[in-house]
Amino acid sequence: MRPSRKTASQWLEEAEEFLTADETDLADKDRQFFMGMLYEQLSGKIIGAAMHVLNTLKPGLDEKIYENSLRLELEGRGHVIEQQRQYPVFYREVNVGTLDSGPDC
């Protein structure tokens, strides 16, 4: 049976819980260092995947092609991602529309 995959935010949340479990064991500086390392590793993996996509497809294509290819590359490397997430917008407790997180919003 294959273990369930976690999102980056789940990993970071677990790391934060671990680091704040016993305040006396780790100083604030150590906690910041550890979280910085997690973000640096994750950023390096994302940049590496993006460079692989760009080097494979070469420059000059439509942005959506790179976006979809990067999603496939990251998923192939074991990451769980959300692409072009949408958020409901409320005014006076009434849904008045949707906010897209994509580049065209």
Side-chain angles (χ1 to χ4, degrees), residues 17-30:
E17 287 175 15
F18 169 77
L19 292 173
T20 57
D22 188 356
E23 294 287 335
T24 59
D25 286 345
L26 294 170
D28 190 47
K29 187 165 76 171
D30 293 332

Side-chain angles (χ1 to χ4, degrees), residues 35-46:
M35 293 304 291
M37 286 180 55
L38 282 176
Y39 285 118
E40 186 176 327
Q41 289 175 355
L42 182 57
S43 296
K45 290 178 180 182
I46 293 169

Side-chain angles (χ1 to χ4, degrees), residues 31-79:
R31 209 171 17 264
Q32 289 175 353
F33 176 76
F34 182 73
M35 293 304 291
M37 286 180 55
L38 282 176
Y39 285 118
E40 186 176 327
Q41 289 175 355
L42 182 57
S43 296
K45 290 178 180 182
I46 293 169
I47 292 168
M51 293 305 299
H52 180 76
V53 167
L54 180 61
N55 289 333
T56 301
L57 295 177
K58 306 298 182 216
L61 301 176
D62 186 63
E63 180 180 346
K64 193 68 173 177
I65 293 172
Y66 295 111
E67 178 186 330
N68 291 335
S69 300
L70 181 58
R71 178 185 53 84
L72 290 173
E73 183 64 28
L74 288 169
E75 288 176 345
R77 294 180 181 205
H79 297 278

